[in-house]
Amino acid sequence: MRPPLRIAVLECDTPVEKIDKKYNGYHGVFSALLRESAQALGLDPTTGLDVSRWDVVTKQEYPRLEDVDALLLTGSKHNSFDNHPWILKLVEYTKKAIDDNRVKILGICFGHQIIGRALGVKVGRSDAGWEIAVCNMDLTEQGKKLFGKDKLRIQQMHQDIVHEYPSNVIPLGSSPRCAVQGMYRPAKFMTVQGHPEFKDEIVTEVVSMRIRAGVFSKEQGEDALERAKWEHDGVAIGSVFLKFLLEE
């Protein structure tokens, strides 16, 4: 029997209050996705996964790379291009992890952008504006092979992007609003700009708050609230992530 897969969730933010209370942080949100994904693969999530949590924003705590098998960088309301000390520390830690010959990395939204920044490419605001709720991600040939589909439907919640693919990275997909929707380096990292971990309740709560705050217009918000309920490939994406982490 193989030992549990040790995944360190690097929490780059705290969910909005209602979601935080239900899930207990992004560690809880991702643990739910990983459990569902393990079950979809026929794995026992209670014995096959060891998911730890690390507050990289306030406590700025990190696991020793030798103590984990994989890192998962979460999404965040913060800007991946800012130079706050905790973000600079995260970028440097990510560079070390990329150079490590054993640890694998998953990057989600902000985490995807941090990996892009660690690899030296520009990250910043998109000229196309917000991409929100369930959207189509057109897959590259390599993306189609990995995910077994022609397109992915994935929850989105971003206005920042990775502007170009770093060298020695395999593109996974694109959308009309974002050319760099996913990055892949075999045996090292896999990223997506979207949120496979988001349920419709999470997107609905975030969109509703941002409508009230004036971040989204009424029309933009109502469209997103409708699409938030659409079926998406979150668990299928999580299953591919787990298979990637389990590869020898």
Side-chain angles (χ1 to χ4, degrees), residues 7 19 24 30 56 72 86 94 106 108 112 151 216 224 237:
I7 303 173
I19 303 305
N24 189 20
F30 276 101
V56 301
L72 190 158
W86 77 266
T94 302
L106 300 175
I108 312 297
H112 156 85
K151 292 177 184 284
F216 300 152
I237 295 166

Side-chain angles (χ1 to χ4, degrees), residues 144-168:
K144 291 175 184 177
K145 288 178 186 174
L146 282 171
F147 292 102
K149 299 173 180 284
D150 289 333
K151 292 177 184 284
L152 289 178
R153 288 159 71 92
I154 186 170
Q155 297 276 16
Q156 299 277 3
M157 187 62 65
H158 72 103
Q159 61 175 335
D160 297 343
I161 59 170
V162 178
H163 280 268
E164 59 184 308
Y165 282 98
S167 59
N168 301 317

